[in-house]
Amino acid sequence: MKKVLITGGTSGFGKACALYFVERGNYCIVTGRRTERLSELKDEIDKKFGPNKIEYLTHDVRDRESVFKDFEKYDDIDILVNNAGLALGLEPAFDTNTDDWDTMVQTNISGLMYCTRAILPGMVKRKKGHIINIGSIAGTYPYPGANVYGATKAFVKQFSLNLRSDLQGTNIRVTNVEPGMSESEFSIVRFKGNSKAADKVYENTKPLTPFDIAEIVYWATSVPDHVNINAIEVMPTSQAWGPFSITRDE
Ligand code: NDP
Ligand code: 8X3
C-alpha cells in the first residue's frame, strides 16, 4: 500500500488517477477547490472499494500558506502527483487577457512548486518517494495560442529535470508525464464554460482519456525502485504535427 497525494482530483486525470491507484490497493489524498466534487469522489470510492481508502483536502494550489499548512502533517507520502493545472484561452499573445496569463503561471508553476516544496522534506527524510509532474506536449512543441500555457509546461519539464539533479542520492524519483490531446474538462475550462467550443476539440476524433493517463502514471510508479522514468511523452494516434507555417507575399 502506497500513500499517494494527487492534486486536482475533482476531475479528469486527477480523478482517474485516484480511482486507478485505489483500485490497486493504495491510499489516496486528493485535493482541489471544489469540495462537493471531492466529497462525491470519496463516496464513489467508498462504495466501490470500501471505506478508508481516500481522504480529501480543499484548497487552491496558488495559496502558498494553505498548501504548506495543509500538507504539514503529510511526512509519509510515497507518490505526489502534481496534476492540478489549466489552460485559459487560445488567443494570440497580443490579444490575451493578462489575468488569464497570471492564473496559469500561478497555478501551473507556483502551485506545483509549493506542493513539491511542501512534500519533499518528508520524502528526503525517508529516502523514499516519487514525484510525478503532469507536463504537456505543449511544453515542448509550440502551437498558435499556447503562448503562456505552453511556457508553464516548459517550466514543468525543466523543473522536473532540475529536481532530479537536486535529489541525486536521496532515492527519490521524478517523472514528467507529457500528454497530448485528452478529453476531460480541460477544454471547457480553457474556453470558459463554452461547451460547444470544447466539444469541437474532440469532434470526430479519438483523443486520449483520463484513464489512459492514469494507467501511464501508475506504470511509471510501478517499475523497480532503481529505475527512474525521466519523461513520458504521449499523444493519441490521431494527433501529430503539421507542416511549418510560412507567410508568403500576395
Ligand atoms: P481538468 O480540468 O479535468 O482537471 C483539472 C484539475 O485541476 C481539476 O481537478 C481542478 O480542480 C484542478 N485545479 C485547477 N486549478 C486549481 C487550483 N488553482 N487549485 C487546485 N486545483 C486546481 O483537466 P485535466 O485533467 O485534463 O488536466 C490535468 C492536468 O493535465 C493539467 O495540469 C493540464 O494542464 C494537464 N494536461 C491536460 C491535457 C489535456 O488535453 N486534457 C494534456 C496535457 C496536459 P478544481 O477546479 O476543483 O480546483
Ligand atoms: C494540453 C495538450 O495540446 O491541448 O496540455 O495543449 S494541448
Side-chain angles (χ1 to χ4, degrees), residues 204-218:
N204 300 326
T205 191
K206 198 171 168 64
L208 298 172
T209 67
F211 179 85
D212 296 325
I213 305 306
E215 209 164 27
I216 288 164
V217 168
Y218 183 80

Side-chain angles (χ1 to χ4, degrees), residues 90-111:
L90 202 53
E91 294 80 20
F94 50 82
D95 203 19
T96 48
N97 176 335
T98 43
D99 287 341
D100 288 348
W101 277 5
D102 286 343
T103 303
M104 289 188 277
V105 168
Q106 287 156 8
T107 309
N108 303 353
I109 297 183
S110 301

